[in-house]
Amino acid sequence: THKVGIKIISDKHNLINKLARSYDGGAKPSGAGGGDYAIAIVPAKNRSEFISEIPSIGCSVDTNLMFVNDDTF
């Protein structure tokens, strides 16, 4: 692997992933050129709390989100 000094994942995306992981989930950037969006997967039992914390890291939640509910996750 060659290091070229290009930051691929932004600080905000790292914060979103850290927050999602604290709720037993995870997140990743999505979109061209470093990601305009983050996609997060968090278990249903933790989802409301996770979403309520998103503004505390300077981000917002798209209210048109579609959730796939699966109690096994």
Side-chain angles (χ1 to χ4, degrees):
T1 303
H2 299 283
K3 292 187 179 189
V4 294
I6 298 172
K7 191 179 225 180
I8 295 174
I9 299 176
S10 73
D11 292 339
K12 289 268 178 147
H13 282 111
N14 282 325
L15 285 172
I16 293 168
N17 185 44
K18 184 177 179 181
L19 181 62
R21 290 176 62 84
S22 75
Y23 286 101
D24 300 324
K28 67 174 288 304
S30 181
D36 300 324
Y37 296 93
I39 297 172
I41 306 226
V42 176
K45 65 181 181 178
N46 300 333
R47 196 170 293 138
S48 293
E49 288 181 65
F50 168 72
I51 289 171
S52 71
E53 291 220 29
I54 293 289
S56 72
I57 59 173
C59 297
S60 61
V61 176
D62 183 342
T63 56
N64 295 308
L65 296 174
M66 182 177 132
F67 293 108
V68 176
N69 290 312
D70 183 351
D71 291 335
T72 63
F73 175 70

